[in-house]
Amino acid sequence: MDITERQMEIIEASGRILASRGISALTIKNLAAEIGFVESALYRHFKSKEDIIVLLIRYLNHNIQSRFEPILAQDISSEDKLKQLFNSQFTYLSQNPHFVVVALSDGLIDEKDIIKNEVIKIFLYKMGIIINLFEEGLKNGEWNTPLPPEDLIHFLMGGFRLIMFKWKFSAFSFDLPKEGNHMIQQFFTMIQVQK
């Protein structure tokens, strides 16, 4: 993506404000104070708060795809791909907790259509990949469950969101990759083929 260093600084500061104080606190005034700019300097890089949020979400979407595509290209089982995809998310967010609000879509889905549409793009991208991997794994006999992929995704994505909420509400106090990967492993234990 073509993002300047200054724009990256602004979207990271926006993420910090969103994660700590919520969408209502993300104002140009608060953002300028967070970065140490005068408000007029922000307008040289973005026309509005919405433009900042849209770029933040697009940046994360690009980041997710650049991490996911090499994993998906590997010649490994569907289960291993899913575990690596989730580990990639847990690891990235543990290193960038200020972006957790986008992972949870806290308040963003209720914003303007342009913001909502960017959040939905990320959601549909991830959901499509997970459903395809479930279908592939079930077809290959990796798991033994009567549940279709459309139902399995509710449990896996619900578990992901629950771990993210717990991490956020604990003030990021626990090891997210460790706890998240444990939850993912437990999920696959539930649907494992009995030998």
Side-chain angles (χ1 to χ4, degrees), residues 134-177:
F134 276 142
E135 288 173 346
E136 182 182 293
L138 288 167
K139 184 175 141 189
N140 294 336
E142 291 181 46
W143 308 297
N144 182 25
T145 175
L147 297 176
E150 295 78 16
D151 289 339
L152 288 173
I153 197 169
H154 293 143
F155 296 103
L156 194 56
M157 292 302 290
F160 173 79
R161 285 184 59 81
L162 180 60
I163 287 284
M164 298 308 299
F165 273 119
K166 284 170 60 178
W167 187 56
K168 181 182 176 193
F169 289 126
S170 74
F172 313 113
S173 65
F174 61 81
D175 184 331
L176 179 62

Short mmCIF file of all heavy atoms in Angstrom, two decimals, residues 134-177:
data_model
loop_
_atom_site.label_atom_id
_atom_site.label_comp_id
_atom_site.label_asym_id
_atom_site.label_seq_id
_atom_site.Cartn_x
_atom_site.Cartn_y
_atom_site.Cartn_z
N PHE A 134 -12.70 -25.12 5.79
CA PHE A 134 -13.55 -26.12 6.43
C PHE A 134 -14.08 -27.12 5.40
O PHE A 134 -14.09 -28.32 5.63
CB PHE A 134 -14.73 -25.46 7.16
CG PHE A 134 -14.41 -24.97 8.54
CD1 PHE A 134 -14.96 -23.80 9.01
CD2 PHE A 134 -13.59 -25.70 9.39
CE1 PHE A 134 -14.68 -23.33 10.29
CE2 PHE A 134 -13.31 -25.24 10.67
CZ PHE A 134 -13.87 -24.06 11.11
N GLU A 135 -14.56 -26.61 4.28
CA GLU A 135 -15.08 -27.49 3.23
C GLU A 135 -14.01 -28.46 2.75
O GLU A 135 -14.25 -29.66 2.59
CB GLU A 135 -15.63 -26.67 2.06
CG GLU A 135 -16.93 -25.95 2.39
CD GLU A 135 -17.39 -25.00 1.30
OE1 GLU A 135 -16.59 -24.68 0.39
OE2 GLU A 135 -18.55 -24.55 1.38
N GLU A 136 -12.81 -27.92 2.54
CA GLU A 136 -11.69 -28.75 2.07
C GLU A 136 -11.32 -29.81 3.11
O GLU A 136 -11.12 -30.98 2.78
CB GLU A 136 -10.50 -27.83 1.80
CG GLU A 136 -9.26 -28.50 1.26
CD GLU A 136 -8.14 -27.49 1.09
OE1 GLU A 136 -8.28 -26.59 0.22
OE2 GLU A 136 -7.14 -27.58 1.84
N GLY A 137 -11.26 -29.41 4.37
CA GLY A 137 -10.90 -30.34 5.45
C GLY A 137 -11.93 -31.42 5.65
O GLY A 137 -11.59 -32.59 5.86
N LEU A 138 -13.21 -31.05 5.56
CA LEU A 138 -14.28 -32.05 5.70
C LEU A 138 -14.25 -33.03 4.53
O LEU A 138 -14.41 -34.24 4.70
CB LEU A 138 -15.64 -31.36 5.80
CG LEU A 138 -15.92 -30.65 7.12
CD1 LEU A 138 -17.14 -29.73 7.00
CD2 LEU A 138 -16.11 -31.65 8.25
N LYS A 139 -14.02 -32.51 3.33
CA LYS A 139 -13.95 -33.35 2.14
C LYS A 139 -12.79 -34.34 2.23
O LYS A 139 -12.89 -35.49 1.81
CB LYS A 139 -13.79 -32.45 0.90
CG LYS A 139 -13.78 -33.18 -0.42
CD LYS A 139 -13.74 -32.16 -1.54
CE LYS A 139 -12.84 -32.67 -2.63
NZ LYS A 139 -12.54 -31.71 -3.66
N ASN A 140 -11.68 -33.88 2.82
CA ASN A 140 -10.48 -34.73 2.95
C ASN A 140 -10.51 -35.62 4.19
O ASN A 140 -9.55 -36.34 4.46
CB ASN A 140 -9.22 -33.87 2.97
CG ASN A 140 -9.00 -33.15 1.65
OD1 ASN A 140 -9.48 -33.59 0.61
ND2 ASN A 140 -8.29 -32.04 1.70
N GLY A 141 -11.60 -35.55 4.97
CA GLY A 141 -11.72 -36.40 6.15
C GLY A 141 -10.84 -36.00 7.31
O GLY A 141 -10.51 -36.82 8.18
N GLU A 142 -10.46 -34.72 7.38
CA GLU A 142 -9.60 -34.25 8.48
C GLU A 142 -10.37 -34.19 9.80
O GLU A 142 -9.77 -34.29 10.86
CB GLU A 142 -9.03 -32.86 8.16
CG GLU A 142 -8.02 -32.85 7.04
CD GLU A 142 -7.46 -31.45 6.79
OE1 GLU A 142 -7.10 -30.76 7.77
OE2 GLU A 142 -7.41 -31.05 5.62
N TRP A 143 -11.69 -33.97 9.71
CA TRP A 143 -12.50 -33.84 10.91
C TRP A 143 -13.72 -34.73 10.82
O TRP A 143 -14.13 -35.14 9.73
CB TRP A 143 -12.96 -32.38 11.10
CG TRP A 143 -11.82 -31.42 11.04
CD1 TRP A 143 -10.76 -31.36 11.89
CD2 TRP A 143 -11.62 -30.39 10.07
NE1 TRP A 143 -9.92 -30.35 11.51
CE2 TRP A 143 -10.41 -29.74 10.39
CE3 TRP A 143 -12.33 -29.95 8.96
CZ2 TRP A 143 -9.91 -28.66 9.67
CZ3 TRP A 143 -11.85 -28.89 8.23
CH2 TRP A 143 -10.63 -28.26 8.59
N ASN A 144 -14.30 -34.99 11.95
CA ASN A 144 -15.50 -35.82 12.01
C ASN A 144 -16.59 -35.04 12.74
O ASN A 144 -16.63 -35.02 13.96
CB ASN A 144 -15.20 -37.13 12.74
CG ASN A 144 -16.40 -38.04 12.79
OD1 ASN A 144 -17.28 -37.95 11.95
ND2 ASN A 144 -16.43 -38.90 13.79
N THR A 145 -17.43 -34.37 11.98
CA THR A 145 -18.50 -33.58 12.58
C THR A 145 -19.68 -33.52 11.62
O THR A 145 -19.47 -33.43 10.40
CB THR A 145 -18.03 -32.14 12.91
OG1 THR A 145 -19.14 -31.39 13.39
CG2 THR A 145 -17.42 -31.43 11.73
N PRO A 146 -20.90 -33.59 12.14
CA PRO A 146 -22.07 -33.46 11.27
C PRO A 146 -22.37 -32.00 10.92
O PRO A 146 -23.22 -31.72 10.09
CB PRO A 146 -23.21 -34.05 12.11
CG PRO A 146 -22.78 -33.80 13.53
CD PRO A 146 -21.27 -33.91 13.53
N LEU A 147 -21.66 -31.07 11.56
CA LEU A 147 -21.94 -29.65 11.33
C LEU A 147 -21.35 -29.19 10.00
O LEU A 147 -20.20 -29.49 9.68
CB LEU A 147 -21.35 -28.80 12.46
CG LEU A 147 -21.92 -29.05 13.85
CD1 LEU A 147 -21.18 -28.20 14.88
CD2 LEU A 147 -23.41 -28.75 13.89
N PRO A 148 -22.12 -28.42 9.24
CA PRO A 148 -21.60 -27.87 7.98
C PRO A 148 -20.65 -26.69 8.26
O PRO A 148 -20.69 -26.10 9.35
CB PRO A 148 -22.86 -27.40 7.25
CG PRO A 148 -23.83 -27.11 8.33
CD PRO A 148 -23.53 -28.08 9.45
N PRO A 149 -19.82 -26.35 7.27
CA PRO A 149 -18.88 -25.23 7.45
C PRO A 149 -19.55 -23.94 7.91
O PRO A 149 -18.98 -23.20 8.71
CB PRO A 149 -18.27 -25.07 6.06
CG PRO A 149 -18.34 -26.43 5.47
CD PRO A 149 -19.64 -27.01 5.99
N GLU A 150 -20.77 -23.68 7.43
CA GLU A 150 -21.47 -22.44 7.79
C GLU A 150 -21.78 -22.38 9.29
O GLU A 150 -21.93 -21.30 9.86
CB GLU A 150 -22.77 -22.30 7.00
CG GLU A 150 -22.57 -22.13 5.51
CD GLU A 150 -22.25 -23.44 4.77
OE1 GLU A 150 -22.47 -24.54 5.34
OE2 GLU A 150 -21.75 -23.36 3.64
N ASP A 151 -21.88 -23.56 9.94
CA ASP A 151 -22.09 -23.59 11.39
C ASP A 151 -20.77 -23.62 12.14
O ASP A 151 -20.63 -22.98 13.19
CB ASP A 151 -22.94 -24.81 11.79
CG ASP A 151 -24.39 -24.67 11.34
OD1 ASP A 151 -24.83 -23.53 11.10
OD2 ASP A 151 -25.06 -25.71 11.22
N LEU A 152 -19.79 -24.34 11.61
CA LEU A 152 -18.49 -24.41 12.27
C LEU A 152 -17.86 -23.02 12.42
O LEU A 152 -17.23 -22.73 13.44
CB LEU A 152 -17.54 -25.32 11.47
CG LEU A 152 -17.82 -26.81 11.51
CD1 LEU A 152 -16.91 -27.54 10.54
CD2 LEU A 152 -17.66 -27.36 12.92
N ILE A 153 -18.06 -22.19 11.41
CA ILE A 153 -17.44 -20.86 11.46
C ILE A 153 -17.97 -20.03 12.63
O ILE A 153 -17.24 -19.23 13.19
CB ILE A 153 -17.61 -20.11 10.12
CG1 ILE A 153 -16.62 -18.94 10.05
CG2 ILE A 153 -19.03 -19.63 9.92
CD1 ILE A 153 -16.51 -18.31 8.69
N HIS A 154 -19.22 -20.25 13.03
CA HIS A 154 -19.77 -19.51 14.17
C HIS A 154 -18.99 -19.81 15.45
O HIS A 154 -18.70 -18.92 16.24
CB HIS A 154 -21.25 -19.85 14.38
CG HIS A 154 -22.12 -19.38 13.28
ND1 HIS A 154 -23.20 -20.08 12.83
CD2 HIS A 154 -22.07 -18.26 12.51
CE1 HIS A 154 -23.78 -19.43 11.84
NE2 HIS A 154 -23.12 -18.32 11.63
N PHE A 155 -18.65 -21.08 15.63
CA PHE A 155 -17.93 -21.46 16.84
C PHE A 155 -16.50 -20.94 16.82
O PHE A 155 -16.00 -20.42 17.83
CB PHE A 155 -17.93 -22.99 17.01
CG PHE A 155 -19.30 -23.55 17.22
CD1 PHE A 155 -19.97 -24.20 16.19
CD2 PHE A 155 -19.94 -23.41 18.45
CE1 PHE A 155 -21.25 -24.71 16.38
CE2 PHE A 155 -21.21 -23.92 18.65
CZ PHE A 155 -21.87 -24.57 17.61
N LEU A 156 -15.84 -21.06 15.67
CA LEU A 156 -14.45 -20.62 15.59
C LEU A 156 -14.33 -19.10 15.67
O LEU A 156 -13.53 -18.57 16.44
CB LEU A 156 -13.81 -21.15 14.30
CG LEU A 156 -12.30 -21.06 14.22
CD1 LEU A 156 -11.63 -21.76 15.39
CD2 LEU A 156 -11.80 -21.64 12.91
N MET A 157 -15.14 -18.39 14.90
CA MET A 157 -15.08 -16.93 14.92
C MET A 157 -15.61 -16.38 16.25
O MET A 157 -15.11 -15.38 16.76
CB MET A 157 -15.86 -16.33 13.74
CG MET A 157 -15.22 -16.62 12.39
SD MET A 157 -13.52 -16.02 12.26
CE MET A 157 -13.80 -14.26 12.24
N GLY A 158 -16.61 -17.05 16.82
CA GLY A 158 -17.11 -16.63 18.13
C GLY A 158 -16.04 -16.78 19.20
O GLY A 158 -15.87 -15.90 20.05
N GLY A 159 -15.30 -17.89 19.14
CA GLY A 159 -14.19 -18.09 20.08
C GLY A 159 -13.11 -17.04 19.91
O GLY A 159 -12.56 -16.52 20.88
N PHE A 160 -12.81 -16.69 18.65
CA PHE A 160 -11.82 -15.65 18.36
C PHE A 160 -12.25 -14.32 18.98
O PHE A 160 -11.48 -13.65 19.66
CB PHE A 160 -11.63 -15.51 16.85
CG PHE A 160 -10.75 -14.37 16.44
CD1 PHE A 160 -9.37 -14.48 16.52
CD2 PHE A 160 -11.30 -13.18 15.98
CE1 PHE A 160 -8.54 -13.42 16.14
CE2 PHE A 160 -10.49 -12.11 15.60
CZ PHE A 160 -9.11 -12.24 15.68
N ARG A 161 -13.50 -13.94 18.74
CA ARG A 161 -13.99 -12.66 19.28
C ARG A 161 -13.99 -12.66 20.81
O ARG A 161 -13.65 -11.66 21.44
CB ARG A 161 -15.39 -12.36 18.75
CG ARG A 161 -15.40 -11.90 17.31
CD ARG A 161 -16.77 -11.51 16.83
NE ARG A 161 -17.37 -10.43 17.61
CZ ARG A 161 -17.10 -9.13 17.45
NH1 ARG A 161 -16.24 -8.75 16.54
NH2 ARG A 161 -17.70 -8.23 18.19
N LEU A 162 -14.36 -13.79 21.41
CA LEU A 162 -14.37 -13.87 22.87
C LEU A 162 -12.97 -13.68 23.44
O LEU A 162 -12.77 -12.92 24.40
CB LEU A 162 -14.96 -15.20 23.33
CG LEU A 162 -15.02 -15.39 24.86
CD1 LEU A 162 -15.87 -14.32 25.52
CD2 LEU A 162 -15.57 -16.77 25.17
N ILE A 163 -11.99 -14.34 22.84
CA ILE A 163 -10.60 -14.17 23.29
C ILE A 163 -10.16 -12.71 23.14
O ILE A 163 -9.53 -12.14 24.03
CB ILE A 163 -9.64 -15.09 22.49
CG1 ILE A 163 -9.81 -16.55 22.92
CG2 ILE A 163 -8.19 -14.66 22.63
CD1 ILE A 163 -9.18 -16.91 24.25
N MET A 164 -10.53 -12.09 22.02
CA MET A 164 -10.14 -10.70 21.79
C MET A 164 -10.81 -9.77 22.81
O MET A 164 -10.16 -8.86 23.33
CB MET A 164 -10.50 -10.27 20.36
CG MET A 164 -9.80 -11.06 19.27
SD MET A 164 -8.00 -11.13 19.44
CE MET A 164 -7.59 -9.43 19.34
N PHE A 165 -12.10 -9.98 23.11
CA PHE A 165 -12.78 -9.17 24.12
C PHE A 165 -12.11 -9.35 25.49
O PHE A 165 -11.88 -8.38 26.20
CB PHE A 165 -14.26 -9.54 24.22
CG PHE A 165 -15.14 -8.80 23.26
CD1 PHE A 165 -15.87 -9.50 22.31
CD2 PHE A 165 -15.26 -7.42 23.30
CE1 PHE A 165 -16.69 -8.83 21.41
CE2 PHE A 165 -16.07 -6.74 22.41
CZ PHE A 165 -16.79 -7.45 21.46
N LYS A 166 -11.85 -10.60 25.86
CA LYS A 166 -11.21 -10.85 27.16
C LYS A 166 -9.85 -10.16 27.24
O LYS A 166 -9.50 -9.57 28.26
CB LYS A 166 -11.03 -12.37 27.37
CG LYS A 166 -12.32 -13.08 27.74
CD LYS A 166 -12.18 -14.59 27.71
CE LYS A 166 -11.15 -15.14 28.66
NZ LYS A 166 -11.09 -16.62 28.62
N TRP A 167 -9.10 -10.21 26.17
CA TRP A 167 -7.77 -9.58 26.13
C TRP A 167 -7.89 -8.07 26.26
O TRP A 167 -7.18 -7.45 27.05
CB TRP A 167 -7.08 -9.97 24.82
CG TRP A 167 -5.66 -9.54 24.70
CD1 TRP A 167 -4.63 -9.82 25.55
CD2 TRP A 167 -5.10 -8.76 23.65
NE1 TRP A 167 -3.46 -9.26 25.09
CE2 TRP A 167 -3.73 -8.61 23.91
CE3 TRP A 167 -5.63 -8.20 22.48
CZ2 TRP A 167 -2.87 -7.91 23.07
CZ3 TRP A 167 -4.78 -7.49 21.64
CH2 TRP A 167 -3.41 -7.35 21.94
N LYS A 168 -8.84 -7.48 25.52
CA LYS A 168 -9.03 -6.03 25.59
C LYS A 168 -9.47 -5.61 26.99
O LYS A 168 -8.93 -4.67 27.57
CB LYS A 168 -10.06 -5.58 24.55
CG LYS A 168 -10.28 -4.07 24.57
CD LYS A 168 -11.33 -3.64 23.59
CE LYS A 168 -11.56 -2.15 23.72
NZ LYS A 168 -12.76 -1.71 23.03
N PHE A 169 -10.45 -6.33 27.56
CA PHE A 169 -10.97 -5.95 28.86
C PHE A 169 -10.01 -6.26 30.00
O PHE A 169 -10.16 -5.72 31.09
CB PHE A 169 -12.34 -6.57 29.11
CG PHE A 169 -13.40 -5.96 28.25
CD1 PHE A 169 -14.21 -6.76 27.44
CD2 PHE A 169 -13.60 -4.59 28.21
CE1 PHE A 169 -15.18 -6.19 26.63
CE2 PHE A 169 -14.56 -4.01 27.40
CZ PHE A 169 -15.36 -4.81 26.62
N SER A 170 -9.01 -7.09 29.76
CA SER A 170 -7.98 -7.33 30.78
C SER A 170 -6.83 -6.34 30.63
O SER A 170 -5.78 -6.51 31.23
CB SER A 170 -7.43 -8.76 30.66
OG SER A 170 -6.58 -8.87 29.52
N ALA A 171 -7.05 -5.31 29.79
CA ALA A 171 -6.02 -4.31 29.50
C ALA A 171 -4.80 -4.98 28.88
O ALA A 171 -3.66 -4.64 29.18
CB ALA A 171 -5.65 -3.51 30.75
N PHE A 172 -5.05 -5.95 27.99
CA PHE A 172 -4.00 -6.65 27.24
C PHE A 172 -2.99 -7.33 28.15
O PHE A 172 -1.81 -7.38 27.86
CB PHE A 172 -3.28 -5.67 26.29
CG PHE A 172 -4.22 -4.80 25.50
CD1 PHE A 172 -4.28 -3.43 25.71
CD2 PHE A 172 -5.05 -5.35 24.54
CE1 PHE A 172 -5.15 -2.63 24.97
CE2 PHE A 172 -5.93 -4.56 23.80
CZ PHE A 172 -5.98 -3.19 24.02
N SER A 173 -3.50 -7.88 29.26
CA SER A 173 -2.60 -8.38 30.30
C SER A 173 -2.15 -9.82 30.13
O SER A 173 -1.23 -10.25 30.81
CB SER A 173 -3.26 -8.23 31.68
OG SER A 173 -4.41 -9.06 31.77
N PHE A 174 -2.80 -10.59 29.24
CA PHE A 174 -2.34 -11.97 29.09
C PHE A 174 -1.70 -12.20 27.73
O PHE A 174 -1.78 -11.36 26.84
CB PHE A 174 -3.46 -12.98 29.38
CG PHE A 174 -4.67 -12.91 28.48
CD1 PHE A 174 -4.68 -13.51 27.23
CD2 PHE A 174 -5.83 -12.27 28.91
CE1 PHE A 174 -5.80 -13.47 26.41
CE2 PHE A 174 -6.97 -12.23 28.10
CZ PHE A 174 -6.95 -12.83 26.85
N ASP A 175 -1.04 -13.33 27.60
CA ASP A 175 -0.32 -13.69 26.39
C ASP A 175 -1.34 -14.11 25.33
O ASP A 175 -1.84 -15.24 25.33
CB ASP A 175 0.64 -14.84 26.71
CG ASP A 175 1.52 -15.24 25.54
OD1 ASP A 175 1.10 -15.08 24.37
OD2 ASP A 175 2.62 -15.75 25.79
N LEU A 176 -1.66 -13.19 24.43
CA LEU A 176 -2.71 -13.44 23.44
C LEU A 176 -2.40 -14.63 22.53
O LEU A 176 -3.28 -15.49 22.35
CB LEU A 176 -2.98 -12.18 22.61
CG LEU A 176 -4.05 -12.32 21.53
CD1 LEU A 176 -5.41 -12.67 22.12
CD2 LEU A 176 -4.13 -11.04 20.69
N PRO A 177 -1.21 -14.74 21.94
CA PRO A 177 -0.96 -15.92 21.09
C PRO A 177 -1.10 -17.23 21.85
O PRO A 177 -1.69 -18.19 21.33
CB PRO A 177 0.47 -15.71 20.59
CG PRO A 177 0.66 -14.23 20.62
CD PRO A 177 -0.10 -13.77 21.83
#
